[in-house]
Amino acid sequence: AAEAAHAPGGAPAGAARSLAPGRSDVTCSYCTVTFFSPIHASCHAEAARADRLAKAPKTEWAGATLRNSQTQCNSLLPLRGPETPDAAFGEAVESWWAALHGVGRADGARLRLLCHDLRLLLLRFAHGASFSDDSSGGGRTSNSRLILPLVQLGLFLVERDTVRGRASSSAAAAGGAHGSARRHMESVINGFLSRGSNPSSLQGPDDAAYVCVLTLLAQTRAEWTASRLHFLEALIARGAKGVAWDRLALCTPAPP
């Protein structure tokens, strides 16, 4: 499997793996891990340019590894500050996804891929799983710092989709002022809650843990307070069944 993405100047990520092993029509997802070594984007760009022009040229990430105390990396996850221009952050986000596609193919909507990435990260914490077995990806402390940047990126994707929805006359005619991404998330969450006393019946990679991640991007505090017991029940049921944290998520497809 191909190496997947990284956090800011951080450690190598896990592999791009099958969401449902054994199926030929399944998509894959990324699993990001990190040592969380932040670096300014312009500093990285200047250093990478110097590496290319050196007498003994180095690749972008080989040079980054040497400059950051042997911290391996294959992409930079952008962090959005209070004064970061939208255009600059958007360009950094595009660079992030371009780097991901360069190290492992995973088809599907970016928001869904991101939510599964965050889901897998949180499940590692919940199950006490290693962050470094796949690709030397740091420990609990460094990876805990990755949670909010991934949420921030998810909110950016939702925000951008909403803006595009408002600008689209077809989306407006269909009541798409909130954007298709937000409507989809709300539909998935409402479908989960409509299961009433049996929320644990949700199977497959888009399980209760995945829907929990969607609530971070789509629910208000009041909505979460009203629905959190449903999620707690489903997650406890999942744990009681002894489901591995990476089941239907990070199982490498069998070779042909």
Side-chain angles (χ1 to χ4, degrees):
E3 290 287 336
H6 281 236
R17 306 285 184 86
S18 171
L19 284 172
R23 288 176 49 188
S24 61
D25 61 339
V26 74
T27 59
C28 291
S29 181
Y30 298 105
C31 186
T32 307
V33 290
T34 183
F35 279 108
F36 208 89
S37 301
I39 184 172
H40 197 282
S42 62
C43 294
H44 173 78
E46 292 173 5
R49 180 177 180 276
D51 286 337
R52 290 194 305 271
L53 300 177
K55 290 184 178 180
K58 293 185 286 291
T59 65
E60 178 179 7
W61 304 118
T65 297
L66 292 174
R67 290 189 299 273
N68 291 280
S69 304
Q70 298 301 311
T71 296
Q72 299 181 58
C73 184
N74 56 16
S75 186
L76 295 178
L77 177 63
L79 302 178
R80 190 177 192 178
E83 298 181 2
T84 304
D86 289 345
F89 186 74
E91 290 177 3
V93 168
E94 291 303 315
S95 296
W96 159 261
W97 287 106
L100 296 196
H101 295 158
V103 295
R105 178 68 178 271
D107 296 323
R110 288 180 175 182
L111 185 61
R112 182 170 186 265
L113 293 173
L114 178 74
C115 288
H116 272 293
D117 194 349
L118 182 52
R119 163 185 172 264
L120 295 171
L121 177 65
L122 294 174
L123 285 174
R124 283 185 193 259
F125 280 102
H127 287 257
S130 171
F131 296 90
S132 58
D133 281 350
D134 293 327
S135 50
S136 305
R140 292 179 65 86
T141 299
S142 61
N143 281 280
S144 69
R145 297 169 181 161
L146 178 59
I147 297 172
L148 289 182
L150 289 178
V151 172
Q152 182 188 62
L153 179 54
L155 292 172
F156 172 79
L157 295 177
V158 174
E159 174 188 344
R160 185 168 62 178
D161 179 75
T162 299
V163 171
R164 289 174 176 175
R166 288 171 179 166
S168 171
S169 58
S170 59
H178 294 296
S180 60
R182 181 172 293 278
R183 293 201 311 275
H184 172 72
M185 289 191 296
E186 292 173 347
S187 174
V188 172
I189 293 171
N190 291 335
F192 172 85
L193 296 176
S194 69
R195 296 173 183 269
S197 61
N198 191 30
S200 62
S201 63
L202 195 62
Q203 301 295 325
D206 295 350
D207 61 2
Y210 173 74
V211 184
C212 278
V213 170
L214 298 186
T215 66
L216 295 173
L217 306 178
Q219 280 196 327
T220 65
R221 184 180 182 86
E223 289 171 334
W224 167 249
T225 300
S227 62
R228 60 187 177 182
L229 291 181
H230 292 275
F231 290 101
L232 179 60
E233 177 184 350
L235 293 174
I236 290 176
R238 184 186 189 281
K241 292 178 180 178
V243 179
W245 75 271
D246 57 353
R247 184 179 178 186
L248 293 178
L250 280 178
C251 298
T252 305

